[in-house]
Amino acid sequence: MTRVLLIAEACNPQMVSVPLVGWSHVDAVRKLPDIDALIVTQVRNREALLQAGLREDTDFVAIDSERIAKPAWKAASLLRGGSNKGWTTVTAIATLTYPYFENLIWKRFGSQIQDGSFDLVHRVTPLSPTAPSRLAHRCRRAKVPFVLGPLNGGVPWPKQFDAARRREREWLSYVRSGYKLLPGYRQTRRDAAALMIGSQDTWQQVPQEYREKCVYIPENGIDPDRFSGRRNRQAEQPLRLVFLGRLVPYKGADMVIEAAADLIRSEQAVLTIVGDGPERETLERQAEMLGIGNGVRFVGRVPHEAVQQHLIESDLFVFPSIREFGGAVALEAMAVGLVPLVVRYGGLAELVTDQTGFTVEIGSRQEIIQQLRPVLERVAADPSLIETRSQAAHQRAMEWFSWEAKARQVREVYRWVLGQRSEKPDWGMPFPDVENVSSPKAVRQQA
C-alpha cells in the first residue's frame, strides 16, 4: 500500500474548472486499491467534501489560509472589474499568495513527512506552472519523493487575436513569461521527483535540464457517471450543430454563427448555443443581422449535469476556441459520441484527431471562418462523415481520459519515482488514437 499526501488547494466537486479538475484527480487516485491517500485542501472546500461523503481528518484535512486567500481573491476581483475576464491576473495573485498555504501544510504535516509516514507527496493543484513549491525542497531533504502536476498553462495568444486578448483584459499575459524569474521556480523543478505535464505548450516551457523528469498526462478527464449517455441519433439534415462554452471573445461563437449562416439560412442546419457571458447580446444581434435568428437558439447557462443532454441531441460539436489549455468540453462531447470540429491549437489539438473529429488551422478570424465553412458544408452534404468518427471519439475519450484511466497513469508515475518500475512512463505526446496503440490497455492491465 502506497501512502500518499495529496495536495489540492482547489478541490471541489460542486464547482467547475480547476476546482472540479482538482477534485476529480484526487478522488480517482484515492480510489485506487493500492493507494492510501490523505487529501489536503483549502478550508473553502470543506463542506463540499463532507457532502461528498469524505470524512474529515481521515479522508481529508482542510487548511484555513483565509487570512491571506480571502483578501487576495477580493483584490483580484477588483482588478478584473468584477467580470469573468482577466484570468491571468487571478493566477498571478494566487501564485503570490499560495506559499502561505504550503507553509501551513508544512506546520501540520512536516513532522509526518520527515518521519516517513508518507511514501510520497503529490501536489495536484494549482495547475498553473507559475506557482512554485517550497514543499518540493523540504520533501527532497526528507528523502520523500515530491510529484508535481499535472501542470498546464501558457498557451500563447495567437498574434491574429490581439484585440480579443485586450477585450479579455489579459494585460499580464504580455509579460507572463516573467514567472520564470520568481523565487523558487527552478528549485521546484530541481527538487521534484517527477513533473506531470498537461500539454505540449507547457512541455516547451520546461527548462531542458528538467525534461527527463517530465511525464505527459493531460489535465482534463471524463467522469463516466456524469457522461453515461450516448448519442444514438443518425445525423441528417437539418444538421444539428451545438456550441458549448462561455460567451467571451476567444471562444469563437461568433465564428460558428458566421460560418454556418448559409447552411442555417437554407435550412440545412440549425445551431444551439449553450452558455452565457458578456458577448451574448452581440451574438444575438449578429444572428439577426445575418437573417438566421430563427435557426439559432440561445439556451443560456445550464447546470453541469444538464450539459450531457444537449450534447446527445446534437450531430456536430463546433468549438473554434483559439486559446484552450485543456479543452475539457471537447472530451465531454467525445465521451457521448458527439464528434467535434475545433481549431488545431492549444489543448484541443491534443484531444481531437482526424479519426475522432475535424480540425482547422489557426489563423485570423476570417481565415478560420473560411476553413470552417467548407467543413460544415461537406458534413451537411454527407452526414455519414460524422457516424464514421462517433465511435472512435467515444473510445478515445474513455480509454485515455476517464478519471479512472488517468488515476492509473498517475500510479505509474508513483511507481517510477518509488523505484518500482525502471522506465519512465511514456504514452506519447499527444496520446495516439486507440486503434493505433495498445498502451491504454497495457495501463489497464497493470491495475
Side-chain angles (χ1 to χ4, degrees), residues 76-87 90 167-169 278:
S77 298
L78 288 173
L79 289 172
R80 297 165 66 209
S83 68
N84 197 20
K85 300 179 180 181
W87 286 101
V90 176
R167 288 166 65 193
E168 287 286 332
R169 300 182 182 177

Side-chain angles (χ1 to χ4, degrees), residues 246-299:
R246 289 188 298 122
L247 303 186
V248 293
Y250 76 90
K251 295 288 185 178
D254 62 306
M255 293 189 283
V256 180
I257 293 173
E258 186 168 338
D262 289 343
L263 290 175
I264 296 172
R265 197 177 294 113
S266 61
E267 299 184 349
Q268 297 180 71
V270 293
L271 171 62
T272 298
I273 295 182
V274 183
D276 211 341
E279 296 295 301
R280 178 167 177 170
E281 290 186 9
T282 301
L283 296 170
E284 290 175 339
R285 286 197 300 269
Q286 178 189 17
E288 292 296 332
M289 290 176 62
L290 290 170
I292 57 174
N294 292 334
V296 180
R297 181 167 66 110
F298 288 85
V299 175

Side-chain angles (χ1 to χ4, degrees), residues 293-354:
N294 292 334
V296 180
R297 181 167 66 110
F298 288 85
V299 175
R301 184 177 181 180
V302 301
H304 195 253
E305 57 270 17
V307 166
Q308 176 180 239
Q309 194 60 36
H310 287 285
L311 299 177
I312 289 174
E313 295 172 352
S314 303
D315 294 321
L316 187 68
F317 174 60
V318 191
F319 189 63
S321 175
I322 52 89
R323 192 172 181 262
E324 291 294 315
F325 299 124
V329 66
L331 285 179
E332 293 170 355
M334 292 164 64
V336 302
L338 180 62
V339 173
L341 166 56
V342 302
V343 174
R344 192 194 300 272
Y345 189 75
L348 293 170
E350 301 175 35
L351 304 180
V352 182
T353 67
D354 291 339

Side-chain angles (χ1 to χ4, degrees), residues 96-246:
L96 295 175
T97 60
Y98 176 75
Y100 177 66
F101 177 72
E102 281 202 354
N103 283 339
L104 295 180
I105 292 176
W106 183 255
K107 287 182 179 179
R108 176 71 182 267
F109 293 103
S111 60
Q112 294 179 54
I113 293 172
Q114 291 172 317
D115 69 18
S117 296
F118 300 100
D119 297 306
L120 62 87
V121 176
H122 177 190
R123 193 191 87 179
V124 178
T125 67
L127 300 176
S128 173
T130 64
S133 175
R134 296 179 182 177
L135 282 176
H137 180 66
R138 288 165 166 168
C139 287
R140 184 183 182 188
R141 290 183 60 183
K143 295 182 170 52
V144 174
F146 182 85
V147 176
L148 188 63
L151 300 175
N152 198 15
V155 176
W157 274 90
K159 61 181 182 297
Q160 303 93 331
F161 286 87
D162 194 59
R165 186 202 299 218
R166 294 193 297 272
R167 288 166 65 193
E168 287 286 332
R169 300 182 182 177
E170 290 290 348
W171 318 117
L172 285 180
S173 65
Y174 290 99
V175 294
R176 183 184 182 280
S177 60
Y179 80 88
K180 296 180 181 180
L181 303 176
L182 288 174
Y185 169 78
R186 286 190 172 270
Q187 293 91 327
T188 297
R189 286 145 182 79
R190 179 197 66 198
D191 294 329
L195 305 169
M196 296 194 301
I197 303 299
S199 69
Q200 291 173 296
D201 284 297
T202 304
W203 171 274
Q204 293 298 327
Q205 298 171 46
V206 178
Q208 189 68 40
E209 61 265 37
Y210 305 124
R211 290 188 180 176
E212 74 278 359
K213 299 181 178 185
C214 295
V215 179
Y216 174 79
I217 300 179
E219 71 170 84
N220 288 119
I222 287 296
D223 181 352
D225 292 332
R226 287 192 182 217
F227 294 90
S228 58
R230 286 292 302 277
R231 176 183 171 274
N232 56 15
R233 55 176 274 106
Q234 190 77 19
E236 59 183 5
Q237 291 191 10
L239 202 66
R240 298 183 184 179
L241 311 177
V242 63
F243 171 95
L244 172 63
R246 289 188 298 122

